[in-house]
Amino acid sequence: TFTVIVPTAKLKNADTLVSNGKYEEALNGYENLGGYKDSGNKIRFLKALRNAKNVTNGSYDDPIKEMIESGATVTINYATEGGSFNSTESVQTLSLSVQKFSETSQDKSNTRVYRSIDEFSGLDSPTRNGYNFAKWNLTESKPNVSIGSISVTLNLTAEWNAKAYTIEYELDGGSVNGDNPIGYDAQDDDFTLINPTKVGYTFIGWSGTDIDGTSTSVTITSGSYGNRKFTANWQVNDYTLTYDANGGESSETVTTVTYDADYALAEANRIGYEFKGWFDEKGTKFENGIWKIANNVTLSAKWEIITYSVKYNLDGGNASNKTTYTVEDTFTLNNSSKTGYTFLGWTYEGQSTPVLSVTIDKEIGNKEYTANYQANTYTVTFDTDGGILDKNSLSVTYDVDYVLPR
């Protein structure tokens, strides 16, 4: 007893092998049918499917064309992985929730069915914000064959390469303590910009890409794309300048100065002293100019005591007195003495009547004093030793001519 398997049964057996995923066995079965019915088309189809499975560079066009030409109806499901076939890229920051929703909604509609070679001009290429399309990958194939019918569903998944974008910063003289990235791509984790600092200024925020006005906290979220530029914005600081007159008087005690702005120092005065300038606690002298110190400052006046001269016109007399003095001195002039004269007192500017006692008490200015005298009168008595004179005595004045009696 033996069983004869007719070609139709063999064809069905081969079709079953295809349904069970045993493509090579099915291919052998079709080849043994010698072209019976549509076995030749199915051979052509399976070889094209085998070629598609061996593609590594994403070039599926030729195998798909071969499948269609074999009489197969080819259904392609595109999994765009966040991309689409009609998106236009712009600079944008996406939240993860929006991004995931977008991917899901796009993938549901990305199905194409091809029944003739005229309908297929090649695989569609999607676009995705922040990415360059790399290739399609065949993730699953589902052939279905029966007598007189060939169909297959191909599931293609997009592979993407993230685009590299630049980040430009305009710090306007500021600096960042650390490193802000100068580039990024859509796959990077969230990152927040480090705020810059600038001597004498307060940072009031970044302005630029995707920022309405200014912001002191700028975060680039994962999934963002596009080149970016950020500008640091500053507010100039005011500082307090305090004056310590140090025993003198100042035209100002406290004033406000602005960084990078002109300022003029207060005027100072102290009786009996020369003003040498304003100095800080380190001994640095300040001058008028542009304020370049990023903190409050106290300045102290520096003084140098003035030495005044004292001149004496003694008219042949003698007196031991100071010839210089300062505003801190207090002393009384010693009266002058002169042989044959009685000291009457001192005269000086504003005092024409001699004054016996002159005291200089914390005064200022050069001074000049003149000693005033009165010549003394003396009595000369004569001893005639028995002789006779018209008078026995004579009144004489010092430094004045006199005539002796005879």
Side-chain angles (χ1 to χ4, degrees):
T1 302
F2 59 92
T3 301
V4 176
I5 302 177
V6 298
T8 300
K10 291 182 179 181
L11 184 61
K12 288 182 177 180
N13 286 339
D15 290 345
T16 301
L17 289 173
V18 171
S19 298
N20 293 332
K22 298 179 179 180
Y23 304 135
E24 293 301 321
E25 293 182 35
L27 186 60
N28 290 331
Y30 291 135
E31 289 175 343
N32 290 329
L33 287 172
Y36 179 72
K37 290 191 175 181
D38 60 351
S39 61
N41 286 339
K42 291 176 180 176
I43 292 171
R44 186 177 181 184
F45 166 75
L46 286 180
K47 287 183 178 181
L49 180 61
R50 181 173 58 190
N51 290 339
K53 288 178 175 291
N54 292 329
V55 168
T56 58
N57 61 0
S59 298
Y60 296 98
D61 286 2
D62 289 344
I64 291 174
K65 288 179 181 179
E66 190 71 17
M67 292 180 200
I68 297 172
E69 289 177 347
S70 72
T73 297
V74 178
T75 299
I76 299 176
N77 292 324
Y78 291 105
T80 57
E81 297 295 297
S84 67
F85 295 109
N86 57 3
S87 66
T88 300
E89 178 172 310
S90 60
V91 177
Q92 187 176 355
T93 301
L94 299 176
S95 67
L96 294 178
S97 60
V98 173
Q99 184 181 3
K100 289 177 180 177
F101 175 80
S102 178
E103 290 175 359
T104 302
S105 63
Q106 290 165 355
D107 290 345
K108 287 183 177 179
S109 62
N110 294 335
T111 298
R112 310 283 189 271
V113 179
Y114 303 101
R115 295 180 176 84
S116 70
I117 195 64
D118 294 336
E119 297 174 353
F120 182 75
S121 59
L123 294 177
D124 294 336
S125 294
T127 59
R128 182 182 178 186
N129 289 330
Y131 292 84
N132 289 315
F133 176 67
K135 64 177 182 176
W136 291 109
N137 292 312
L138 179 62
T139 55
E140 188 178 12
S141 58
K142 297 178 180 179
N144 185 31
V145 295
S146 61
I147 295 176
S149 175
I150 307 172
S151 65
V152 65
T153 298
L154 303 177
N155 292 336
L156 298 178
T157 300
E159 182 177 319
W160 302 96
N161 293 325
K163 293 181 181 179
Y165 297 103
T166 61
I167 305 178
E168 183 181 351
Y169 303 94
E170 177 53 62
L171 300 182
D172 188 25
S175 61
V176 174
N177 184 18
D179 292 322
N180 277 327
I182 59 174
Y184 78 103
D185 62 48
Q187 293 179 326
D188 287 344
D189 293 334
D190 294 359
F191 61 91
T192 299
L193 299 186
I194 301 171
N195 289 338
T197 58
K198 183 179 180 181
V199 175
Y201 292 78
T202 298
F203 178 68
I204 58 175
W206 297 103
S207 59
T209 306
D210 284 351
I211 300 174
D212 184 11
T214 59
S215 174
T216 56
S217 180
V218 175
T219 298
I220 311 302
T221 57
S222 181
S224 300
Y225 52 88
N227 296 327
R228 296 174 181 272
K229 182 176 181 180
F230 299 106
T231 299
N233 295 270
W234 307 96
Q235 178 175 294
V236 66
N237 294 339
D238 289 334
Y239 299 97
T240 299
L241 179 58
T242 303
Y243 295 100
D244 177 4
N246 195 20
E249 296 180 348
S250 173
S251 60
E252 294 179 296
T253 55
V254 178
T255 189
T256 298
V257 291
T258 302
Y259 198 85
D260 274 344
D262 289 332
Y263 72 96
L265 295 172
E267 297 179 358
N269 180 61
R270 186 179 182 186
I271 295 175
Y273 289 81
E274 180 182 356
F275 179 60
K276 305 304 289 185
W278 293 105
F279 293 79
D280 66 11
E281 60 182 5
K282 296 180 180 179
T284 301
K285 185 178 181 181
F286 278 57
E287 304 285 356
N288 294 338
I290 297 177
W291 190 260
K292 284 289 189 180
I293 300 175
N295 52 263
N296 299 326
V297 173
T298 296
L299 297 180
S300 297
K302 184 175 182 180
W303 304 100
E304 183 177 284
I305 197 165
I306 300 173
T307 299
Y308 300 102
S309 65
V310 185
K311 181 180 179 181
Y312 302 94
N313 300 312
L314 299 181
D315 190 22
N318 181 56
S320 178
N321 282 311
K322 293 169 66 74
T323 57
T324 60
Y325 78 102
T326 70
V327 72
E328 300 295 336
D329 293 334
T330 297
F331 61 97
T332 299
L333 298 187
N334 294 317
N335 290 338
S336 178
S337 63
K338 183 179 181 181
T339 302
Y341 289 80
T342 298
F343 180 69
L344 298 178
W346 300 100
T347 55
Y348 49 90
E349 184 179 357
Q351 181 64 45
S352 59
T353 301
V355 178
L356 282 172
S357 180
V358 175
T359 298
I360 298 175
D361 183 15
K362 300 187 183 302
E363 298 178 19
I364 62 172
N366 297 325
K367 296 184 179 295
E368 184 173 353
Y369 296 96
T370 298
N372 295 269
Y373 306 97
Q374 179 177 292
N376 296 336
T377 298
Y378 300 97
T379 299
V380 178
T381 303
F382 301 100
D383 181 1
T384 60
D385 192 21
I388 299 173
L389 292 173
D390 53 1
K391 49 184 176 181
N392 293 323
S393 63
L394 179 64
S395 179
V396 293
T397 300
Y398 198 82
D399 277 344
V400 176
D401 291 339
Y402 65 93
V403 178
L404 291 174
R406 295 179 181 273

